[in-house]
Amino acid sequence: MLTRRHIRVKVMQCIYALVQSKDDSLQKQEKFLRVSIENMYVLYLLILSLLAELHRLAEKHVSHASKKYVATEEDKYPNPEKFVKNRLLLQLVNNEVLKNELSNRKLDNWYMNDEYVKIIHKAVISSDIYKEYMSNGEDSYTNDRNMVIQLFKEIIAPNEKIYDYFEDDKLTWVDDFPIVNTFLVKRLKKAKPDSGDRFFLPSLLKDQEDMDFANELLTKTLLNDAKWEKEIEGKTPNWDNDRIAEIDSIVLKMAICELLNFPSIPEKVTLNEYLEIAKEYSTPKSSIFINGVLDKLAKEYKSEGRLQKIGRGLQ
């Protein structure tokens, strides 16, 4: 689920939190990093389970409507049960791995806050996407899957109430939300009728090497802070160090640390990754500033023989 860029962002957030709290405990920051990364998976589970809960609520409505003598809105559709028989949604509802993960982690958010499920359900059934799906006669897994993806992208993910709920629950989820949403959409697009339960719940990290990279980047950046500070000095003629924005300073130090301490990661990868992070988390002027500083440093390191790169790099 997480790419190396996501991991770099998580490390950046940890260092920023440390600076803001003025807590110099490396052990606490390592724990914060682990928890922050793990919480991304929790967010993924909650969003996935929201789709399952949406189905359950829809099923209740259909069951309730079938017992009424007066015609309901659903009765106008050729098959009022089409949504609750959606094959992709049923894969999520009946997913034992998802059920176990939610149970083991005691994630009963939607049971405790079912008003959010109702908000989403109301938005869904009033949408043109839902009405078109319920009205057309196509009956296939592909049609079911495409409808769920479209609903998620256009109705569920942009919903402000859901966004506010996640933001209130954990502040770090503000940055995680678009990442997790994008991953979920990609996952759903690959879903097939025979996709097993585990398919919908892949590992958060590719392997242990990713977690090792995160810890090493965090540790080496923090323990050598004064050293990286000196590396920046003299490369910012129009800026005093105390005028450099905190987030820009962190990005620069992480990039320098990676250039000098991670020989398996190509120089170009490091420069591109931190430039993209700067573009997303800092100002346009800052990204230009960071690009200029890193370019100078990279050239200096190469001329001095300090930039030692080996093998194929990983992003």
Side-chain angles (χ1 to χ4, degrees), residues 37-45 101 105 201-202 204:
I37 289 175
E38 176 62 22
N39 279 338
M40 285 192 76
Y41 189 63
V42 172
L43 178 60
Y44 176 77
L45 291 174
E101 286 281 6
R105 296 168 184 267
L201 289 96
L204 179 64

Side-chain angles (χ1 to χ4, degrees), residues 271-282:
L271 297 180
N272 287 343
E273 287 291 283
Y274 286 101
L275 181 57
E276 290 303 314
I277 290 172
K279 286 179 181 177
E280 185 171 353
Y281 290 91
S282 197

Side-chain angles (χ1 to χ4, degrees), residues 24-258:
D24 60 357
S25 171
L26 180 59
Q27 189 175 19
K28 284 184 181 179
Q29 291 311 309
E30 288 175 336
K31 181 180 179 181
F32 180 85
L33 176 62
R34 288 194 302 273
V35 172
S36 180
I37 289 175
E38 176 62 22
N39 279 338
M40 285 192 76
Y41 189 63
V42 172
L43 178 60
Y44 176 77
L45 291 174
L46 289 176
I47 295 174
L48 205 60
S49 65
L50 177 59
L51 292 174
E53 290 303 320
L54 172 64
H55 176 276
R56 291 191 181 97
L57 181 58
E59 197 170 39
K60 287 181 182 178
H61 275 253
V62 170
S63 176
H64 183 67
S66 67
K67 297 174 183 178
K68 288 186 175 181
Y69 294 104
V70 180
T72 65
E73 184 72 14
E74 298 294 314
D75 291 329
K76 70 180 182 181
Y77 298 121
N79 179 8
E81 296 186 351
K82 186 176 182 180
F83 185 80
V84 298
K85 289 184 177 180
N86 183 286
R87 298 165 181 84
L88 178 55
L89 289 178
L90 286 172
Q91 283 178 304
L92 300 180
V93 171
N94 299 320
N95 192 308
E96 293 301 325
V97 178
L98 176 59
K99 290 178 185 177
N100 290 335
E101 286 281 6
L102 295 172
S103 176
N104 293 339
R105 296 168 184 267
K106 296 180 172 57
L107 297 176
D108 55 359
N109 298 52
W110 306 127
Y111 174 77
M112 300 299 293
N113 301 280
D114 64 341
E115 67 270 21
Y116 290 97
V117 183
K118 293 174 182 176
I119 289 170
I120 291 298
H121 179 256
K122 184 178 180 180
V124 164
I125 62 175
S126 62
S127 70
D128 291 338
I129 299 169
Y130 177 85
K131 292 174 183 177
E132 165 61 24
Y133 171 75
M134 294 296 290
S135 299
N136 72 51
E138 186 177 349
D139 181 26
S140 68
Y141 184 88
T142 299
N143 186 47
D144 287 352
R145 181 185 60 204
N146 290 344
M147 189 279 301
V148 172
I149 292 172
Q150 193 177 4
L151 273 181
F152 182 77
K153 289 170 63 177
E154 299 183 27
I155 306 297
I156 301 174
N159 188 279
E160 290 185 6
K161 294 290 185 182
I162 294 297
Y163 182 87
D164 290 343
Y165 171 77
F166 285 129
E167 182 180 19
D168 290 342
D169 197 320
K170 285 184 176 60
L171 189 58
T172 56
W173 278 349
V174 173
D175 291 322
D176 297 342
F177 197 52
I179 296 171
V180 173
N181 286 343
T182 299
F183 177 81
L184 177 58
V185 169
K186 289 180 178 179
R187 203 68 185 169
L188 294 180
K189 284 181 178 179
K190 295 179 181 178
K192 298 177 181 178
D194 59 352
S195 293
D197 288 358
R198 178 52 65 182
F199 168 83
F200 294 96
L201 289 96
S203 299
L204 179 64
L205 297 172
K206 185 173 65 176
D207 49 37
Q208 182 58 39
E209 191 175 321
D210 277 347
M211 195 66 234
D212 292 341
F213 168 73
N215 285 323
E216 188 177 357
L217 180 60
L218 175 70
T219 302
K220 289 185 175 180
T221 301
L222 289 176
L223 292 181
N224 296 285
D225 183 76
K227 180 180 177 181
W228 309 141
E229 192 82 42
K230 287 184 178 180
E231 294 286 345
I232 298 171
E233 288 178 5
K235 305 301 183 298
T236 57
N238 298 321
W239 296 77
D240 296 327
N241 280 2
D242 57 359
R243 286 185 58 213
I244 300 175
E246 199 69 65
I247 201 72
D248 296 348
S249 177
I250 292 170
V251 169
L252 282 171
K253 290 173 183 177
M254 286 176 62
I256 295 168
C257 176
E258 192 170 305

